[in-house]
């Protein structure tokens, strides 16, 4: 049981990293997707490059770059902050793509209805297309969120004392062996399954309201 | 209907052309619609009727020509600002084949949204007008429902109320009953007849021959990218001049 105790001590940081970077991603994905869909070619190319770099380079590399690479004068990221920023940026790129899919899933007649009523492009996007696109995006977002719970373990590589870091430490020092890792696996399941259930519930509620 | 000797032109198209790449949809079309006039546009599929209608409020940008609605003119080819296009669109209400209601808004919000956003009416003002219009199309009890809960015919009547809420000078109908069961279509046609009687200027692209014959003041027949015949609906229906019109009418009426 002392193994379980050791592993559980990592839960708060795992959750903090997961939800903070998910939030950064959900918010940061919005300007990125606007850039991707922009008619300004320069903006479009910048955002496309950014998204491709963030998605194409392994998240663990980003964490190293941010933790060890970025030091402006006396400024140095603390490990947890570096993990949140790194995973947050990567999440923003994935979210932008999820949103893009959601936006193109909204029927073009919705844009036309907005235009025909004289509603401006921005208001049509923010009040008509956006909310519908968001609803379409919810399942993909939650499934990304669930995989982010696991990906937050990458933070252990830069010394953040989340679940995997503490598990490894316990396995080494207290001769926990495989048992500790199995306990860690069960803790991850206990975190992700409720989230999956909640996501399914939210999705079916939203679907009921807009189904046609 | 009181028709003066020189009716005011509400909509006029001059030399309007549209192509998609090599495919010419229509070439150099002229059309005049007087205030209070109901014009029905019929013709075989692919004749360009819907595209022409969508050019009138610039949902499709014509390649050439001039479009005037209620004194506001836009010429194709010249760089036109979005502001000008929006000003033109404000004069025209549009009803789509597939309704295009906003599924995430209640029926009331559907009708009120653009009033608040575009006409800057207060929420109370907009809702009051919306309820009056919903009542007029027979759907006062549906204000708080969502579109998904309404039948196709009801959704189309809501869409008509939504367009009317903007106080348009002309209403454009793009095959408003084509996605509906014939029986359900009747309730939409009844609302449209009512509008016509009240003197609304209307341009209706339709396959409803009875509506075209009995309600419209003028029939426009389009085929192969041009207006091939136009005039009194009864006359054209009983005695078409153009052989293409004869062919088309035989297919839709004499079946």
């Amino acid at each position: 049981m002392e193994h379980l105790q050791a592993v559980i001590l990592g839960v708060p940081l795992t959750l903090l990293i997961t939800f903070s970077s998910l939030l950064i991603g959900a918010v940061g994905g919005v300007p990125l997707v606007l850039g991707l869909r922009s008619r300004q070619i320069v903006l479009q190319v910048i955002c496309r490059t950014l998204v491709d770099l963030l998605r194409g380079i392994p998240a663990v590399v980003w964490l190293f770059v941010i933790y060890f690479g970025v030091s402006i004068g006396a400024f140095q990221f603390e490990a947890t902050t570096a993990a949140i920023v790194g995973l947050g940026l990567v999440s923003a790129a994935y979210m932008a793509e999820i949103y893009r899919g959601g936006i193109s899933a909204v029927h073009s007649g919705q844009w036309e209805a907005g235009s025909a009523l004289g509603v401006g492009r921005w208001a049509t996007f923010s009040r008509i297309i956006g909310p519908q696109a968001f609803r379409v995006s919810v399942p993909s977002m939650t499934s990304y969120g669930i995989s982010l719970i696991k990906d937050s373990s990458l933070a252990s590589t830069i010394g953040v004392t989340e679940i995997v870091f503490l598990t490894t430490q316990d396995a080494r020092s207290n001769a926990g062996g495989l048992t500790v890792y199995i306990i860690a696996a069960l803790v991850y399941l206990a975190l992700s399954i409720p989230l999956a259930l909640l996501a399914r519930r939210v999705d079916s509620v939203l679907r009921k309201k807009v189904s046609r | 209907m009181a028709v003066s000797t020189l009716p005011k032109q509400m909509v006029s198209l001059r030399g309007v052309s549209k192509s998609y790449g090599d495919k010419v949809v229509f070439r150099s079309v002229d059309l005049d619609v007087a205030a209070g006039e109901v014009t029905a546009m019929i013709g075989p599929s692919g004749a360009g009727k819907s595209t022409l209608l969508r050019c009138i409020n610039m949902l499709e940008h014509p390649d050439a020509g001039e479009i005037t609605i209620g004194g506001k003119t836009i010429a194709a080819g010249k760089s036109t600002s979005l502001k000008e296009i929006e000003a033109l669109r404000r004069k025209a209400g549009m009803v789509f084949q597939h309704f295009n209601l906003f599924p995430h808004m209640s029926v009331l919000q559907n009708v009120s949204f653009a009033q608040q956003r575009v006409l800057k009416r207060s929420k109370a003002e907009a809702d009051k007008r919306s309820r009056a219009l919903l009542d007029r199309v027979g759907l006062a009890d549906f204000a708080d429902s969502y579109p998904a809960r309404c039948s196709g015919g009801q959704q189309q009547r809501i869409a008509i109320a939504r367009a009317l809420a903007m106080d348009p000078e002309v209403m454009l109908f793009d095959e408003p009953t084509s996605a509906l069961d014939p029986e359900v279509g009747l309730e939409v046609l009844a609302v449209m007849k009512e509008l016509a009687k009240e003197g609304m200027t209307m341009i209706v692209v339709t396959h409803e021959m009875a509506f075209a014959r009995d309600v419209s003041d003028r029939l426009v027949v389009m085929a192969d990218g041009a207006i091939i015949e136009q005039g009194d609906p009864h006359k054209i229906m009983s005695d078409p001049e153009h052989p293409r019109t004869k062919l088309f009418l035989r297919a839709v009426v004499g079946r």
Side-chain angles (χ1 to χ4, degrees):
Chain A
M1 270 307 102
E2 68 271 24
H3 294 310
L4 178 61
Q5 256 170 8
V7 172
I8 276 187
L9 283 177
V11 171
L13 273 179
T14 290
L15 289 180
L16 176 72
I17 292 169
T18 304
F19 284 106
S20 307
S21 47
L22 195 60
L23 188 68
I24 291 177
V27 175
V30 175
L32 273 181
V33 76
L34 291 180
L36 289 177
R37 292 181 46 88
S38 169
R39 280 182 286 195
Q40 298 249 302
I41 295 296
V42 181
L43 198 61
Q44 206 187 90
V45 169
I46 291 173
C47 288
R48 173 50 51 208
T49 313
L50 212 56
V51 167
D52 287 348
L53 282 180
L54 285 168
R55 292 197 308 167
I57 296 172
V60 69
V61 174
W62 283 115
L63 296 196
F64 273 63
V65 167
I66 289 166
Y67 186 53
F68 297 113
V70 181
S71 49
I72 307 153
F75 180 78
Q76 172 76 50
F77 274 122
E78 195 246 325
T80 307
T81 318
I84 289 171
V85 170
L87 290 172
L89 287 174
V90 173
S91 302
Y94 278 98
M95 288 298 172
E97 287 296 342
I98 289 172
Y99 293 156
R100 202 167 62 95
I103 291 167
S104 42
V106 177
H107 192 265
S108 63
Q110 295 287 309
W111 284 104
E112 289 182 354
S115 301
L117 288 167
V119 179
R121 221 178 113 78
W122 171 247
T124 303
F125 181 79
S126 64
R127 300 289 304 277
I128 297 169
I129 309 297
Q132 295 182 60
F134 186 75
R135 278 172 196 186
V136 178
S137 303
V138 165
S140 311
M141 286 171 77
T142 50
S143 118
Y144 181 78
I146 288 164
S147 76
L148 196 60
I149 295 180
K150 296 169 288 167
D151 289 346
S152 69
S153 62
L154 292 172
S156 66
T157 58
I158 54 172
V160 178
T161 55
E162 47 67 73
I163 295 175
V164 165
F165 186 91
L166 294 180
T167 304
T168 313
Q169 205 177 43
D170 193 55
R172 282 182 190 151
S173 55
N174 300 335
L178 200 57
T179 323
V180 205
Y181 284 102
I182 290 169
I183 290 170
L186 293 175
V187 170
Y188 273 112
L189 279 177
L191 295 178
S192 56
I193 288 174
L195 188 65
L197 291 176
L198 178 76
R200 239 172 284 169
R201 179 99 196 91
V202 169
D203 185 47
S204 73
V205 168
L206 290 180
R207 216 169 274 273
K208 231 173 250 162
K209 214 167 162 188
V210 297
S211 67
R212 12 179 194 182
Chain B
M1 200 179 64
V3 181
S4 63
T5 43
L6 266 177
K8 180 175 164 271
Q9 293 308 334
M10 180 59 79
V11 176
S12 61
L13 309 182
R14 286 287 166 273
V16 176
S17 305
K18 177 76 185 172
S19 320
Y20 294 115
D22 291 341
K23 164 119 180 56
V24 177
V25 186
F26 47 79
R27 188 174 279 145
S28 197
V29 169
D30 296 335
L31 180 69
D32 288 296
V33 177
E37 191 179 31
V38 178
T39 300
M41 278 172 38
I42 62 168
S45 336
K49 309 178 297 284
S50 285
T51 310
L52 182 65
L53 191 75
R54 292 157 57 84
C55 278
I56 296 176
N57 70 348
M58 299 295 277
L59 281 183
E60 304 277 353
H61 290 237
D63 304 323
E66 266 184 18
I67 293 162
T68 308
I69 306 179
K72 172 94 196 138
T73 301
I74 284 190
K78 277 192 239 162
S79 65
T80 323
S81 74
L82 201 58
K83 281 267 168 292
E84 284 177 88
I85 291 176
E86 278 167 9
L88 186 86
R89 280 176 180 158
R90 225 158 283 173
K91 293 179 175 288
M94 176 104 177
V95 174
F96 300 90
Q97 184 178 353
H98 295 287
F99 334 133
N100 296 348
L101 293 178
F102 308 131
H104 60 302
M105 295 185 189
S106 72
V107 168
L108 187 68
Q109 286 172 317
N110 261 280
V111 186
S112 289
F113 172 69
Q115 295 183 61
Q116 292 174 249
R117 192 84 210 186
V118 180
L119 302 180
K120 309 291 177 206
R121 288 182 185 151
S122 72
K123 183 170 159 33
E125 253 180 307
D127 285 350
K128 190 170 167 233
R129 177 101 170 100
S130 301
R131 286 184 194 280
L133 285 166
L134 286 171
D135 187 43
R136 188 164 150 197
V137 298
L139 293 170
D141 296 340
F142 286 79
D144 299 316
S145 311
Y146 279 81
R149 293 285 164 98
C150 302
S151 72
Q154 291 167 341
Q155 292 196 41
Q156 193 61 297
R157 280 142 67 197
I158 297 163
I160 292 173
R162 180 175 70 173
L164 288 174
M166 306 302 286
D167 302 322
E169 294 178 34
V170 54
M171 286 283 284
L172 311 174
F173 292 85
D174 187 7
E175 302 197 23
T177 57
S178 296
L180 301 172
D181 286 344
E183 241 181 343
V184 174
L186 283 180
E187 58 192 50
V188 174
L189 290 173
V191 169
M192 291 169 64
K193 276 181 202 162
E194 197 63 32
L195 264 184
K197 220 191 297 170
E198 288 163 16
M200 174 60 80
T201 312
M202 294 161 67
I203 303 177
V204 186
V205 171
T206 188
H207 293 294
E208 301 273 1
M209 290 304 139
F211 179 90
R213 187 187 57 226
D214 302 332
V215 183
S216 70
D217 303 305
R218 188 150 56 110
L219 191 63
V220 170
V221 187
M222 272 187 92
D224 309 319
I227 293 177
I228 55 171
E229 190 161 352
Q230 58 176 309
D232 176 60
H234 288 276
K235 187 180 169 300
I236 293 178
M237 291 247 186
S238 56
D239 182 24
E241 277 174 18
H242 199 287
R244 188 71 189 84
T245 312
K246 279 181 195 156
L247 203 65
F248 174 72
L249 286 176
R250 205 179 305 146
V252 291
V253 181
R255 58 192 304 139

